[in-house]
Amino acid sequence: MIDVGSFRAQSCRGLSRRSFLRLGAAVPAALGATGLLAPQQTALANAKARAKSTILVWLWGAPSHVDTLDPKPDALAQYRGPFAPIATKTPGVFYSELLPKLAQRSDRYTLVRSNVSTMPGHPDAGTLGLTGFPEKPEPVQPNFGSIIAKHRGHHGSLPPFVMVGTGIPRDVVRKVDGYGGGTLGKLWDPFPVSCSDTGQVSIPALQLLDGLNPNRIADRKSLLGQVDAAERQLKQAGFEDWNRQYQQAYGLLTNAQARAAFDLTQELEGTRDEYGQTTFGQSCLMARRLVEARVPYVQVNWSEYVESITPNCDFGWDTHIYNFEMLQDTHCPIFDRAFSALLDDLERRGLLDTTLVVAMGEFGRTPRINSRAARDHWPQCYFSIWAGAGLPRGRVIGQSDKYGENPVTDPITPLMVGTTMCELAGLDTQARAELNVLNGGRVIHELMS
Amino acid sequence: MRYAVGAIAISLVLSGAAASNADEPRRLTIDGHVKRDPVFAKADGSELIFTMLEKPTQLRLMKLNLKTQQVAAVHPEETRSEFEATVSADGRYLAFVQNRGNLSLALVIKDLAENKQADIPPQGGFSGMHCPAIAPDLSRVIYSYPEDGRQHLFECNLRAEQRRRLVDSEGVNNWPHFAADGSRVVFGSSRDDDYEIYVMRPDGTDARRLTHSPGQDIRPKFSPDGKRIAFTSNRDGNYEIYLMQADGSGVQRLTNNPEQDDCACWHPDGRSLIVVSERKGRHDLYQIAVP
């Protein structure tokens, strides 16, 4: 028996009760060897892709670049902050003392210090950061993950674009419009999952199967009846994309390999320890499992995981107050441990050369300390981390000015980020043109050579 | 600006470091959730209060009975995050930080005997108080609050009135803690560069720097007899608990854990510390003997 998860429907009318599915042999048997689904369109992974899989660690809320990976120890006191720089394995490169593990691993990835955005607010900048384009004018462009998912197509029972996190990132105003398929359609939206610090997995799509507890399913006929009932409920609830989610959920139910990809209990305890017994740590471990299962694109959201001074808001790294305390006490230690473990684990398993791992937020934070002794939004300059996929290692690309306010080298835009990610995933200029995505984007050549 | 110990030197430093003087730590909690800020709630050392990240969206104040090792919520019905608790020496007052909205935090002072509560609400916009400390004579509460781009130490009385700025310096001032006789307050500050430990009179005067090391020296706590100070430092490349004499001399490393040790709290008998120790990625409270 595999504990797949605990699910609580939150928004679908008539589907609000709690269920807990313990999946065993009964379910595949009841559904039949071929399952209930219509065959999915399947495409082979692009053989030219340097990145068979891509992991985007999305540091929602926007981490302070000057307190983490682009410290300015010689800046004036009103800019500098209280953290000391530490040496890294890259000669002459220093990080904040809050990230010692990443400093020890600087020879395994490339750091970009010249990312720029043009949007000062979270949802707008989130869309820009995830799609390469602003929300306006409409239509909203697709998430980089949706582009790669469509290029690769559905492969087996696992969705091609999985988003690990507690739903779509949002702040108090609204969610990020660019979270999903955009112009490519909802079929290429991410498949959301999340897991707790104890490794318990939640798959919201399986809310649709609420009531299909194997203990209540005697045979295939009974199951089909319940599916029909659930479908009627979904239609009444106005659930737009029930069909896709239904298919994906059933794919998980009927395929043991697919279910196993989400089962963190199959990991050695020592491996789970390495990532840290935090929600974000276990989410990064989930990403590695999904890469092993050949999911083309995984987006790990840092959202509700640790930003607990403001319940019910996905502020993430949005440290308008308590910047220094939160970075020191929670965010940096958790990120430092989990992201380092992810790199170690992928390397150890021989997956890093075929997996692109990128970590970034939607912008940076004000180099000048604000009136509340913290930092506000700063789209003019921030960082991104690039590892794997055969990219050169141990380098820093781009440079910011003496306060970290602006790049003094060529700026790296979100469109360039997305174009590079897609290029590494096998979408060359022609493929992007055929999908009519990332128009005008260029690859970050400095990163590739 | 001085540079902290380089990360690549960490393994060398640790392998060459002197062995810990502490006896084998005693594990007090087993859930592994992220924890912070343990403080004794009773003078006989029978009960602790600490902050726990109970779920991703809530920090909760918990109490631990050290005899039974039972853990329970201090405010079981509370849905807002609460953290950084402190208890008066007589156990009557409990002060802590409470979330009141989006990035808005209040300072709450509860009179447990009278079941009354006073607070300093958020000041509008994004704002929040930090780390209250209650004077042993119950004359005041000192806390940290940011204004004008710096983070100062303020004081108020136990009715959360007569608010006054005590310490006005560059940088961040935080983690105030009273000596048991009320004659001094130890705190952390980045006024001179990175975080160091300072001591001052309770009225904010005569601030003196006690530590001089690269990296962070934070969260100082006076021993019950006022002769020593426990604090957290990453001077050796990793967060460990250190001890020093109250004048800053005789710095001694107490823990030697490849993961983080932090948030030291003296047992009332002065013979041990409660610390938050990260081991195998889990955060639990441990009791360690003090030499």
Side-chain angles (χ1 to χ4, degrees):
Chain A
M1 301 289 278
I2 299 171
D3 291 348
V4 171
S6 172
F7 315 103
R8 186 189 301 276
Q10 295 176 340
S11 59
C12 301
R13 293 188 299 273
L15 293 173
S16 59
R17 69 186 181 279
R18 184 181 180 85
S19 69
F20 186 84
L21 298 183
R22 295 182 67 85
L23 300 181
V27 172
L31 291 171
T34 57
L36 297 173
L37 305 178
Q40 288 288 342
Q41 177 188 352
T42 301
L44 294 176
N46 190 325
K48 295 179 181 177
R50 289 165 65 173
K52 305 300 181 192
S53 294
T54 300
I55 299 173
L56 172 61
V57 177
W58 182 241
L59 302 175
W60 170 246
S64 165
H65 54 301
V66 295
D67 293 316
T68 55
L69 293 168
D70 194 7
K72 302 294 179 182
D74 298 320
L76 300 172
Q78 56 264 42
Y79 288 83
R80 193 175 59 234
F83 305 123
I86 56 172
T88 69
K89 275 200 169 176
T90 307
V93 175
F94 293 83
Y95 293 170
S96 156
E97 62 187 320
L98 301 183
L99 299 169
K101 295 181 191 301
L102 281 178
Q104 287 179 293
R105 291 162 176 79
S106 68
D107 57 345
R108 297 194 193 168
Y109 55 84
T110 289
L111 172 66
V112 175
R113 283 175 165 167
S114 53
N115 290 84
V116 296
S117 176
T118 55
M119 296 292 159
H122 295 293
D124 294 324
T127 293
L128 180 59
L130 291 171
T131 71
F133 293 92
E135 292 179 350
K136 305 290 183 184
E138 291 181 341
V140 174
Q141 294 297 305
N143 185 310
F144 307 139
S146 300
I147 296 170
I148 292 172
K150 182 171 175 62
H151 176 67
R152 299 287 181 83
H154 288 274
H155 176 77
S157 298
L158 284 169
F161 176 11
V162 177
M163 189 167 71
V164 187
T166 313
I168 301 162
R170 64 178 168 82
D171 66 4
V172 287
V173 180
R174 60 181 172 85
K175 297 178 180 177
V176 173
D177 282 355
Y179 75 94
T183 54
L184 298 179
K186 293 183 72 66
L187 181 62
W188 306 105
D189 274 1
F191 184 83
V193 305
S194 64
C195 56
S196 71
D197 57 347
T198 59
Q200 184 182 32
V201 176
S202 174
I203 303 175
L206 290 182
Q207 292 169 10
L208 308 183
L209 309 179
D210 200 15
L212 299 187
N213 186 321
N215 295 330
R216 297 174 53 193
I217 298 170
D219 55 34
R220 180 182 172 87
K221 183 178 177 181
S222 147
L223 176 57
L224 285 169
Q226 293 188 50
V227 168
D228 290 342
E231 179 182 330
R232 285 194 296 275
Q233 281 185 290
L234 287 163
K235 284 181 175 175
Q236 290 168 2
F239 208 96
E240 295 175 356
D241 57 346
W242 65 270
N243 185 50
R244 177 185 59 84
Q245 298 218 12
Y246 233 12
Q247 291 177 359
Q248 291 179 329
Y250 271 120
L252 295 178
L253 274 175
T254 56
N255 186 300
Q257 184 183 7
R259 293 199 306 272
F262 293 96
D263 185 5
L264 295 181
T265 64
Q266 294 190 9
E267 290 291 328
L268 294 173
E269 194 67 16
T271 303
R272 294 189 57 200
D273 293 345
E274 286 180 23
Y275 284 82
Q277 299 292 331
T278 59
T279 308
F280 180 73
Q282 298 304 299
S283 296
C284 287
L285 175 56
M286 170 76 77
R288 193 228 74 211
R289 289 188 65 79
L290 293 170
V291 165
E292 276 187 320
R294 298 193 292 176
V295 171
Y297 196 93
V298 183
Q299 179 178 321
V300 179
N301 287 332
W302 183 298
S303 53
E304 291 185 348
Y305 302 141
V306 292
E307 174 55 87
S308 52
I309 65 171
T310 303
N312 305 315
C313 293
D314 280 358
F315 274 95
W317 293 74
D318 193 22
T319 49
H320 292 284
I321 61 171
Y322 272 58
N323 174 73
F324 304 119
E325 288 84 351
M326 282 198 285
L327 292 185
Q328 176 177 288
D329 294 343
T330 52
H331 289 51
C332 284
I334 290 172
F335 175 65
D336 193 39
R337 183 176 191 122
F339 194 75
S340 298
L342 177 63
L343 296 180
D344 291 354
D345 203 6
L346 289 169
E347 182 104 284
R348 194 163 52 233
R349 293 166 188 265
L351 292 169
L352 192 55
D353 282 343
T354 56
T355 303
L356 173 66
V357 185
V358 179
M360 62 181 183
E362 67 269 39
F363 42 64
R365 304 205 75 80
T366 47
R368 187 182 179 93
I369 296 169
N370 69 16
S371 63
R372 299 170 298 275
R375 301 192 193 271
D376 299 320
H377 301 177
W378 192 258
Q380 290 93 325
C381 191
Y382 61 107
F383 71 81
S384 55
I385 300 172
W386 298 72
L391 292 175
R393 299 170 170 214
R395 300 187 305 163
V396 175
I397 290 175
Q399 182 182 343
S400 62
D401 60 24
K402 63 179 181 179
Y403 292 138
E405 290 181 323
N406 293 285
V408 295
T409 54
D410 288 343
I412 304 298
T413 67
L415 182 57
M416 294 165 69
V417 168
T419 303
T420 305
M421 292 170 71
C422 288
E423 178 84 14
L424 289 166
L427 279 107
D428 58 16
T429 305
Q430 182 180 344
R432 298 194 296 271
E434 287 172 358
L435 290 177
N436 192 25
V437 296
L438 301 169
N439 294 321
R442 79 157 176 88
V443 167
I444 308 170
H445 298 297
E446 307 93 303
L447 191 65
M448 311 286 262
S449 56
Chain B
M1 166 61 89
R2 285 167 290 103
Y3 281 58
V5 175
I8 28 190
I10 289 173
S11 58
L12 298 175
V13 171
L14 288 178
S15 62
S20 167
N21 290 322
D23 295 333
E24 189 65 25
R26 174 190 172 209
R27 189 175 181 178
L28 301 177
T29 60
I30 58 171
D31 56 78
H33 288 297
V34 172
K35 297 178 179 64
R36 295 159 48 180
D37 315 317
V39 59
F40 275 91
K42 295 184 177 175
D44 65 1
S46 63
E47 186 174 286
L48 271 169
I49 289 178
F50 62 96
T51 303
M52 184 173 82
L53 187 61
E54 184 183 51
K55 55 185 180 180
T57 54
Q58 189 170 12
L59 285 164
R60 186 182 287 285
L61 296 182
M62 309 297 291
K63 55 186 176 184
L64 166 67
N65 184 315
L66 269 79
K67 291 176 181 171
T68 65
Q69 294 198 226
Q70 292 293 309
V71 177
V74 174
H75 303 136
E77 306 301 321
E78 185 56 70
T79 58
R80 297 169 291 192
S81 278
E82 297 179 334
F83 50 101
E84 295 181 351
T86 189
V87 181
S88 62
D90 64 357
R92 174 171 173 172
Y93 292 93
L94 169 68
F96 55 92
V97 178
Q98 184 181 65
N99 173 254
R100 294 285 176 84
N102 301 320
L103 299 176
S104 296
L105 301 157
L107 176 63
V108 177
I109 304 170
K110 287 184 76 171
D111 181 340
L112 301 173
E114 298 287 333
N115 196 26
K116 291 192 297 191
Q117 176 173 312
D119 62 23
I120 301 177
Q123 303 299 299
F126 299 143
S127 70
M129 292 67 175
H130 305 246
C131 289
I134 302 174
D137 64 1
L138 308 182
S139 62
R140 69 187 83 192
V141 176
I142 295 181
Y143 61 96
S144 177
Y145 181 70
E147 268 186 357
D148 307 325
R150 295 169 290 177
Q151 195 158 309
H152 315 283
L153 294 181
F154 283 75
E155 70 170 5
C156 65
N157 64 24
L158 286 165
R159 295 183 300 280
E161 299 165 337
Q162 298 176 3
R163 181 174 180 245
R164 183 176 79 93
R165 185 184 291 186
L166 267 185
V167 171
D168 183 356
S169 78
E170 292 291 334
V172 174
N173 297 281
N174 205 353
W175 312 292
H177 185 254
F178 281 91
D181 65 2
S183 63
R184 290 158 295 162
V185 174
V186 67
F187 62 103
S189 176
S190 64
R191 63 184 63 188
D192 293 323
D193 205 343
D194 55 22
Y195 282 126
E196 303 288 350
I197 307 289
Y198 295 75
V199 67
M200 66 177 186
R201 292 185 178 138
D203 64 1
T205 62
D206 193 26
R208 288 182 293 118
R209 181 171 169 176
L210 297 180
T211 58
H212 300 79
S213 79
Q216 300 182 61
D217 296 311
I218 57 176
R219 289 191 249 276
K221 294 288 176 62
F222 271 117
S223 60
D225 63 6
K227 294 180 179 176
R228 293 195 286 182
I229 296 168
F231 63 101
T232 302
S233 178
N234 66 347
R235 62 182 63 192
D236 291 326
N238 184 33
Y239 291 90
E240 303 285 357
I241 304 299
Y242 287 74
L243 294 175
M244 63 181 173
Q245 299 301 311
D247 64 359
S249 65
V251 175
Q252 176 185 10
R253 179 169 163 176
L254 188 61
T255 63
N256 190 358
N257 174 14
E259 297 171 71
Q260 291 196 13
D261 287 333
D262 201 354
C263 302
C265 161
W266 288 90
H267 190 282
D269 68 10
R271 293 186 295 187
S272 64
L273 290 168
I274 308 300
V275 304
V276 176
S277 188
E278 182 188 29
R279 298 177 185 226
K280 295 184 177 180
R282 296 175 168 83
H283 297 78
D284 279 303
L285 297 178
Y286 287 78
Q287 186 171 19
I288 56 176
V290 175

PDB file of all heavy atoms in Angstrom, chain A residues 64-71 93-96 99 102 109 111 113 335 383-385:
ATOM      1  N   SER A  64      16.275  38.938  -1.486  1.00  0.00           N
ATOM      2  CA  SER A  64      17.242  40.030  -1.516  1.00  0.00           C
ATOM      3  C   SER A  64      18.537  39.530  -2.133  1.00  0.00           C
ATOM      4  O   SER A  64      19.179  38.629  -1.597  1.00  0.00           O
ATOM      5  CB  SER A  64      17.499  40.522  -0.094  1.00  0.00           C
ATOM      6  OG  SER A  64      18.661  41.321  -0.067  1.00  0.00           O
ATOM      7  N   HIS A  65      18.931  40.133  -3.240  1.00  0.00           N
ATOM      8  CA  HIS A  65      20.173  39.688  -3.881  1.00  0.00           C
ATOM      9  C   HIS A  65      21.403  40.126  -3.089  1.00  0.00           C
ATOM     10  O   HIS A  65      22.384  39.401  -3.006  1.00  0.00           O
ATOM     11  CB  HIS A  65      20.246  40.185  -5.329  1.00  0.00           C
ATOM     12  CG  HIS A  65      20.067  41.655  -5.513  1.00  0.00           C
ATOM     13  ND1 HIS A  65      18.937  42.323  -5.113  1.00  0.00           N
ATOM     14  CD2 HIS A  65      20.875  42.606  -6.054  1.00  0.00           C
ATOM     15  CE1 HIS A  65      19.067  43.613  -5.412  1.00  0.00           C
ATOM     16  NE2 HIS A  65      20.236  43.811  -5.972  1.00  0.00           N
ATOM     17  N   VAL A  66      21.335  41.308  -2.465  1.00  0.00           N
ATOM     18  CA  VAL A  66      22.535  41.797  -1.768  1.00  0.00           C
ATOM     19  C   VAL A  66      22.745  41.108  -0.420  1.00  0.00           C
ATOM     20  O   VAL A  66      23.830  41.175   0.138  1.00  0.00           O
ATOM     21  CB  VAL A  66      22.493  43.329  -1.580  1.00  0.00           C
ATOM     22  CG1 VAL A  66      22.550  44.026  -2.928  1.00  0.00           C
ATOM     23  CG2 VAL A  66      21.268  43.752  -0.809  1.00  0.00           C
ATOM     24  N   ASP A  67      21.717  40.464   0.105  1.00  0.00           N
ATOM     25  CA  ASP A  67      21.884  39.724   1.360  1.00  0.00           C
ATOM     26  C   ASP A  67      22.166  38.246   1.129  1.00  0.00           C
ATOM     27  O   ASP A  67      22.276  37.483   2.097  1.00  0.00           O
ATOM     28  CB  ASP A  67      20.630  39.851   2.230  1.00  0.00           C
ATOM     29  CG  ASP A  67      20.426  41.263   2.725  1.00  0.00           C
ATOM     30  OD1 ASP A  67      21.409  41.886   3.161  1.00  0.00           O
ATOM     31  OD2 ASP A  67      19.284  41.749   2.665  1.00  0.00           O
ATOM     32  N   THR A  68      22.245  37.851  -0.140  1.00  0.00           N
ATOM     33  CA  THR A  68      22.433  36.432  -0.421  1.00  0.00           C
ATOM     34  C   THR A  68      23.637  36.192  -1.339  1.00  0.00           C
ATOM     35  O   THR A  68      24.727  35.908  -0.867  1.00  0.00           O
ATOM     36  CB  THR A  68      21.164  35.827  -1.042  1.00  0.00           C
ATOM     37  OG1 THR A  68      20.794  36.580  -2.216  1.00  0.00           O
ATOM     38  CG2 THR A  68      20.006  35.843  -0.051  1.00  0.00           C
ATOM     39  N   LEU A  69      23.420  36.353  -2.650  1.00  0.00           N
ATOM     40  CA  LEU A  69      24.442  35.934  -3.605  1.00  0.00           C
ATOM     41  C   LEU A  69      25.184  37.084  -4.277  1.00  0.00           C
ATOM     42  O   LEU A  69      26.062  36.845  -5.109  1.00  0.00           O
ATOM     43  CB  LEU A  69      23.792  35.036  -4.675  1.00  0.00           C
ATOM     44  CG  LEU A  69      23.297  33.696  -4.132  1.00  0.00           C
ATOM     45  CD1 LEU A  69      22.423  32.987  -5.161  1.00  0.00           C
ATOM     46  CD2 LEU A  69      24.462  32.810  -3.746  1.00  0.00           C
ATOM     47  N   ASP A  70      24.834  38.298  -3.932  1.00  0.00           N
ATOM     48  CA  ASP A  70      25.539  39.446  -4.510  1.00  0.00           C
ATOM     49  C   ASP A  70      25.816  40.479  -3.412  1.00  0.00           C
ATOM     50  O   ASP A  70      25.370  41.631  -3.489  1.00  0.00           O
ATOM     51  CB  ASP A  70      24.695  40.058  -5.639  1.00  0.00           C
ATOM     52  CG  ASP A  70      25.494  41.022  -6.512  1.00  0.00           C
ATOM     53  OD1 ASP A  70      26.728  41.117  -6.328  1.00  0.00           O
ATOM     54  OD2 ASP A  70      24.885  41.666  -7.385  1.00  0.00           O
ATOM     55  N   PRO A  71      26.570  40.081  -2.389  1.00  0.00           N
ATOM     56  CA  PRO A  71      26.784  40.998  -1.253  1.00  0.00           C
ATOM     57  C   PRO A  71      27.658  42.184  -1.642  1.00  0.00           C
ATOM     58  O   PRO A  71      28.488  42.092  -2.543  1.00  0.00           O
ATOM     59  CB  PRO A  71      27.486  40.107  -0.217  1.00  0.00           C
ATOM     60  CG  PRO A  71      28.175  39.063  -1.021  1.00  0.00           C
ATOM     61  CD  PRO A  71      27.283  38.802  -2.211  1.00  0.00           C
ATOM     62  N   VAL A  93      35.113  35.261  -5.577  1.00  0.00           N
ATOM     63  CA  VAL A  93      33.655  35.430  -5.501  1.00  0.00           C
ATOM     64  C   VAL A  93      33.200  35.192  -4.068  1.00  0.00           C
ATOM     65  O   VAL A  93      33.570  34.191  -3.446  1.00  0.00           O
ATOM     66  CB  VAL A  93      32.927  34.459  -6.453  1.00  0.00           C
ATOM     67  CG1 VAL A  93      31.418  34.551  -6.277  1.00  0.00           C
ATOM     68  CG2 VAL A  93      33.313  34.778  -7.892  1.00  0.00           C
ATOM     69  N   PHE A  94      32.393  36.110  -3.553  1.00  0.00           N
ATOM     70  CA  PHE A  94      31.909  36.022  -2.182  1.00  0.00           C
ATOM     71  C   PHE A  94      30.386  36.007  -2.165  1.00  0.00           C
ATOM     72  O   PHE A  94      29.736  36.643  -2.980  1.00  0.00           O
ATOM     73  CB  PHE A  94      32.416  37.216  -1.358  1.00  0.00           C
ATOM     74  CG  PHE A  94      33.902  37.195  -1.156  1.00  0.00           C
ATOM     75  CD1 PHE A  94      34.761  37.688  -2.136  1.00  0.00           C
ATOM     76  CD2 PHE A  94      34.450  36.659  -0.005  1.00  0.00           C
ATOM     77  CE1 PHE A  94      36.134  37.643  -1.964  1.00  0.00           C
ATOM     78  CE2 PHE A  94      35.828  36.611   0.177  1.00  0.00           C
ATOM     79  CZ  PHE A  94      36.667  37.107  -0.806  1.00  0.00           C
ATOM     80  N   TYR A  95      29.863  35.236  -1.222  1.00  0.00           N
ATOM     81  CA  TYR A  95      28.426  35.234  -0.963  1.00  0.00           C
ATOM     82  C   TYR A  95      28.193  35.750   0.449  1.00  0.00           C
ATOM     83  O   TYR A  95      29.123  35.891   1.246  1.00  0.00           O
ATOM     84  CB  TYR A  95      27.840  33.810  -1.031  1.00  0.00           C
ATOM     85  CG  TYR A  95      27.849  33.142  -2.372  1.00  0.00           C
ATOM     86  CD1 TYR A  95      27.530  31.788  -2.477  1.00  0.00           C
ATOM     87  CD2 TYR A  95      28.156  33.839  -3.542  1.00  0.00           C
ATOM     88  CE1 TYR A  95      27.529  31.141  -3.698  1.00  0.00           C
ATOM     89  CE2 TYR A  95      28.155  33.198  -4.770  1.00  0.00           C
ATOM     90  CZ  TYR A  95      27.846  31.857  -4.842  1.00  0.00           C
ATOM     91  OH  TYR A  95      27.853  31.211  -6.043  1.00  0.00           O
ATOM     92  N   SER A  96      26.925  35.920   0.777  1.00  0.00           N
ATOM     93  CA  SER A  96      26.562  36.206   2.160  1.00  0.00           C
ATOM     94  C   SER A  96      26.843  34.979   3.022  1.00  0.00           C
ATOM     95  O   SER A  96      26.742  33.833   2.574  1.00  0.00           O
ATOM     96  CB  SER A  96      25.077  36.558   2.240  1.00  0.00           C
ATOM     97  OG  SER A  96      24.576  36.301   3.523  1.00  0.00           O
ATOM     98  N   LEU A  99      24.625  31.619   3.278  1.00  0.00           N
ATOM     99  CA  LEU A  99      24.548  30.514   2.314  1.00  0.00           C
ATOM    100  C   LEU A  99      25.875  29.745   2.237  1.00  0.00           C
ATOM    101  O   LEU A  99      26.497  29.644   1.171  1.00  0.00           O
ATOM    102  CB  LEU A  99      24.163  31.067   0.929  1.00  0.00           C
ATOM    103  CG  LEU A  99      22.806  31.767   0.862  1.00  0.00           C
ATOM    104  CD1 LEU A  99      22.638  32.496  -0.460  1.00  0.00           C
ATOM    105  CD2 LEU A  99      21.676  30.765   1.074  1.00  0.00           C
ATOM    106  N   LEU A 102      25.910  26.627  -0.326  1.00  0.00           N
ATOM    107  CA  LEU A 102      25.982  27.035  -1.728  1.00  0.00           C
ATOM    108  C   LEU A 102      27.360  27.596  -2.053  1.00  0.00           C
ATOM    109  O   LEU A 102      27.862  27.422  -3.164  1.00  0.00           O
ATOM    110  CB  LEU A 102      24.900  28.067  -2.037  1.00  0.00           C
ATOM    111  CG  LEU A 102      23.498  27.505  -2.251  1.00  0.00           C
ATOM    112  CD1 LEU A 102      22.504  28.625  -2.498  1.00  0.00           C
ATOM    113  CD2 LEU A 102      23.485  26.538  -3.426  1.00  0.00           C
ATOM    114  N   TYR A 109      27.883  25.262 -10.424  1.00  0.00           N
ATOM    115  CA  TYR A 109      26.838  25.990 -11.153  1.00  0.00           C
ATOM    116  C   TYR A 109      27.381  27.344 -11.574  1.00  0.00           C
ATOM    117  O   TYR A 109      28.477  27.757 -11.177  1.00  0.00           O
ATOM    118  CB  TYR A 109      25.591  26.164 -10.280  1.00  0.00           C
ATOM    119  CG  TYR A 109      25.848  26.823  -8.947  1.00  0.00           C
ATOM    120  CD1 TYR A 109      25.889  28.207  -8.820  1.00  0.00           C
ATOM    121  CD2 TYR A 109      26.069  26.053  -7.803  1.00  0.00           C
ATOM    122  CE1 TYR A 109      26.140  28.802  -7.600  1.00  0.00           C
ATOM    123  CE2 TYR A 109      26.319  26.638  -6.572  1.00  0.00           C
ATOM    124  CZ  TYR A 109      26.353  28.014  -6.480  1.00  0.00           C
ATOM    125  OH  TYR A 109      26.612  28.608  -5.274  1.00  0.00           O
ATOM    126  N   LEU A 111      26.437  31.428 -11.626  1.00  0.00           N
ATOM    127  CA  LEU A 111      25.596  32.453 -11.016  1.00  0.00           C
ATOM    128  C   LEU A 111      25.496  33.641 -11.959  1.00  0.00           C
ATOM    129  O   LEU A 111      26.516  34.121 -12.455  1.00  0.00           O
ATOM    130  CB  LEU A 111      26.206  32.891  -9.680  1.00  0.00           C
ATOM    131  CG  LEU A 111      25.555  34.086  -8.987  1.00  0.00           C
ATOM    132  CD1 LEU A 111      24.143  33.755  -8.537  1.00  0.00           C
ATOM    133  CD2 LEU A 111      26.413  34.533  -7.803  1.00  0.00           C
ATOM    134  N   ARG A 113      24.371  37.530 -12.094  1.00  0.00           N
ATOM    135  CA  ARG A 113      24.113  38.654 -11.185  1.00  0.00           C
ATOM    136  C   ARG A 113      23.538  39.871 -11.908  1.00  0.00           C
ATOM    137  O   ARG A 113      23.551  40.957 -11.345  1.00  0.00           O
ATOM    138  CB  ARG A 113      25.404  39.049 -10.470  1.00  0.00           C
ATOM    139  CG  ARG A 113      25.804  38.115  -9.336  1.00  0.00           C
ATOM    140  CD  ARG A 113      27.158  38.503  -8.760  1.00  0.00           C
ATOM    141  NE  ARG A 113      27.399  37.852  -7.471  1.00  0.00           N
ATOM    142  CZ  ARG A 113      28.592  37.827  -6.876  1.00  0.00           C
ATOM    143  NH1 ARG A 113      29.628  38.419  -7.439  1.00  0.00           N
ATOM    144  NH2 ARG A 113      28.743  37.227  -5.707  1.00  0.00           N
ATOM    145  N   PHE A 335      16.731  27.178   2.254  1.00  0.00           N
ATOM    146  CA  PHE A 335      17.110  27.162   0.839  1.00  0.00           C
ATOM    147  C   PHE A 335      18.522  26.608   0.661  1.00  0.00           C
ATOM    148  O   PHE A 335      18.764  25.788  -0.233  1.00  0.00           O
ATOM    149  CB  PHE A 335      17.010  28.580   0.269  1.00  0.00           C
ATOM    150  CG  PHE A 335      17.493  28.690  -1.150  1.00  0.00           C
ATOM    151  CD1 PHE A 335      16.835  28.043  -2.175  1.00  0.00           C
ATOM    152  CD2 PHE A 335      18.621  29.431  -1.460  1.00  0.00           C
ATOM    153  CE1 PHE A 335      17.286  28.128  -3.486  1.00  0.00           C
ATOM    154  CE2 PHE A 335      19.084  29.528  -2.765  1.00  0.00           C
ATOM    155  CZ  PHE A 335      18.412  28.880  -3.784  1.00  0.00           C
ATOM    156  N   PHE A 383      19.358  38.030  -9.154  1.00  0.00           N
ATOM    157  CA  PHE A 383      20.252  36.923  -9.533  1.00  0.00           C
ATOM    158  C   PHE A 383      19.456  35.729 -10.046  1.00  0.00           C
ATOM    159  O   PHE A 383      18.252  35.594  -9.809  1.00  0.00           O
ATOM    160  CB  PHE A 383      21.115  36.485  -8.341  1.00  0.00           C
ATOM    161  CG  PHE A 383      20.331  35.763  -7.257  1.00  0.00           C
ATOM    162  CD1 PHE A 383      20.016  34.413  -7.370  1.00  0.00           C
ATOM    163  CD2 PHE A 383      19.897  36.438  -6.133  1.00  0.00           C
ATOM    164  CE1 PHE A 383      19.288  33.757  -6.396  1.00  0.00           C
ATOM    165  CE2 PHE A 383      19.167  35.797  -5.149  1.00  0.00           C
ATOM    166  CZ  PHE A 383      18.855  34.454  -5.288  1.00  0.00           C
ATOM    167  N   SER A 384      20.178  34.847 -10.709  1.00  0.00           N
ATOM    168  CA  SER A 384      19.644  33.508 -11.010  1.00  0.00           C
ATOM    169  C   SER A 384      20.794  32.515 -10.941  1.00  0.00           C
ATOM    170  O   SER A 384      21.946  32.865 -11.172  1.00  0.00           O
ATOM    171  CB  SER A 384      18.969  33.471 -12.395  1.00  0.00           C
ATOM    172  OG  SER A 384      19.851  33.903 -13.407  1.00  0.00           O
ATOM    173  N   ILE A 385      20.461  31.293 -10.587  1.00  0.00           N
ATOM    174  CA  ILE A 385      21.452  30.212 -10.495  1.00  0.00           C
ATOM    175  C   ILE A 385      21.152  29.217 -11.612  1.00  0.00           C
ATOM    176  O   ILE A 385      19.994  28.827 -11.804  1.00  0.00           O
ATOM    177  CB  ILE A 385      21.362  29.498  -9.128  1.00  0.00           C
ATOM    178  CG1 ILE A 385      21.615  30.475  -7.979  1.00  0.00           C
ATOM    179  CG2 ILE A 385      22.347  28.334  -9.063  1.00  0.00           C
ATOM    180  CD1 ILE A 385      21.360  29.877  -6.600  1.00  0.00           C
TER     181      ILE A 385
END
